Amino acid sequence: MIRTPLMTVMVDAVMKAARTLKRDFGEVENLQVSRKGPSDFVSAADRKAEATLREALAKARPGYGFVLEEGGKVEGGDTQNVWHVDPLDGTTNFLHGIPQFAISVGLERDGKMFAGVIYDPIKDELYVAEKGQGAFLNNRRLRVSARTDLADCLVACGIPFLGHGNHPEFLRELATIMGKVAGVRRMGSAALDLAAVAAGRVDGYWERNVNSYDIAAGLILVREAGGFVADADGGEQMMTKGSVVAGNETVQRELLRIVRAASKAG
């Protein structure tokens, strides 16, 4: 892996934020038994990590804009470059002491994803990708799965939760997909789901109602690993429409066909 100056900036920022996030995760189990619960603590951990990331990225690349989970959209003087930052993707897992969460930072340049970093601090797994440079996990080059028969495929998804998303639409998608694949997993972190597609750990992934900062880094990871991504309508508006279907060429095409059919059936 060639560590470009941009990638050095992104990785350094992420690793700095990860140190406190990992320490905070160690406190969550103790808070589970308290009457108030760990919710307020986790919210504070989330905000603290975001502040660390924003400060480090702004110092290294002044003028770049931001789309932040907590802080919203921040216009920058350099309108060509925008950071999409999720300081804690998998908050519900974190809240319940489940070690499946990540920090995700993606750089959008001229309207397209240019670079991404996803870090799983519990497994110490660092995923990086930059346009034209390939995708890597801890310096190992990544390629998406080569499986083409859905019956052999493991597919990840996101499930709409209380008060969010179209539950009947998702159930139509799931009913079809679960009857065609080897297994379906809902792991609770869109960033890590996309990273798993890039690493060939899962063969495909689909989700609706995601934010740009959830998927920004993962989109470039999948593409640089030889995979395909689209929104749920088959277009290129993943970041604005808030939906994504990913996999190798064959799996992604099949998943997309099922997802689009389920939407029309409603």
Side-chain angles (χ1 to χ4, degrees):
M1 180 185 71
I2 300 172
R3 183 65 69 86
T4 64
L6 172 63
M7 194 53 60
T8 298
V9 164
M10 296 175 72
V11 169
D12 286 353
V14 165
M15 298 306 281
K16 187 176 181 181
R19 285 195 289 273
T20 55
L21 202 61
K22 189 173 181 178
R23 187 171 63 243
D24 288 340
F25 182 70
E27 297 294 322
V28 169
E29 189 174 5
N30 298 329
L31 293 166
Q32 292 289 347
V33 296
S34 71
R35 184 172 181 181
K36 189 172 185 181
S39 299
D40 290 344
F41 177 84
V42 172
S43 295
D46 202 335
R47 290 193 298 271
K48 185 165 56 178
E50 181 171 287
T52 299
L53 289 162
R54 183 175 176 180
E55 180 183 1
L57 293 170
K59 183 178 180 180
R61 292 292 187 273
Y64 283 21
F66 283 90
V67 177
L68 302 153
E69 182 186 22
E70 301 294 334
K73 190 172 184 178
V74 180
E75 298 288 350
D78 181 346
T79 57
Q80 292 178 307
N81 291 285
V82 180
W83 299 113
H84 294 262
V85 177
D86 192 341
L88 176 52
D89 186 56
T91 305
T92 303
N93 285 345
F94 191 100
L95 176 65
H96 289 269
I98 298 171
Q100 174 77 3
F101 58 90
I103 298 171
S104 177
V105 176
L107 177 65
E108 180 185 5
R109 178 166 289 172
D110 297 324
K112 296 184 183 299
M113 287 313 304
F114 184 81
V117 172
I118 296 171
Y119 182 57
D120 178 339
I122 301 302
K123 300 184 191 70
D124 191 26
E125 292 188 333
L126 179 68
Y127 299 86
V128 302
E130 191 170 342
K131 189 174 181 180
Q133 301 289 333
F136 296 84
L137 165 55
N138 292 352
N139 295 316
R140 177 174 63 84
R141 184 72 180 259
L142 297 181
R143 295 297 296 177
V144 294
S145 160
R147 295 184 186 91
T148 55
D149 187 342
L150 281 186
D152 297 327
C153 291
L154 184 65
V155 176
C157 70
I159 299 176
F161 54 95
L162 182 65
H164 291 77
N166 186 329
H167 292 221
E169 181 180 54
F170 170 77
L171 290 173
R172 289 194 299 272
E173 294 167 356
L174 181 62
T176 303
I177 291 171
M178 67 190 291
K180 293 180 179 292
V181 300
V184 178
R185 299 288 185 269
R186 196 282 192 261
M187 295 177 281
S189 166
L192 288 178
D193 285 342
L194 284 165
V197 173
R201 291 175 174 175
V202 299
D203 304 289
Y205 160 69
W206 91 98
E207 186 166 1
R208 299 179 187 269
N209 303 297
V210 288
N211 298 293
S212 69
Y213 45 76
D214 297 321
I215 61 173
L219 295 176
I220 185 71
L221 266 170
V222 172
R223 280 186 162 154
E224 286 295 313
F228 291 75
V229 291
D231 60 52
D233 297 314
E236 290 284 315
Q237 304 302 311
M238 293 81 68
M239 305 274 280
T240 53
K241 288 189 175 181
S243 62
V244 61
V245 182
N248 65 36
E249 186 174 14
T250 302
V251 172
Q252 195 254 9
R253 184 175 62 241
E254 285 300 299
L255 287 178
L256 189 56
R257 182 182 59 78
I258 294 168
V259 167
R260 294 176 75 179
S263 180
K264 290 175 182 176

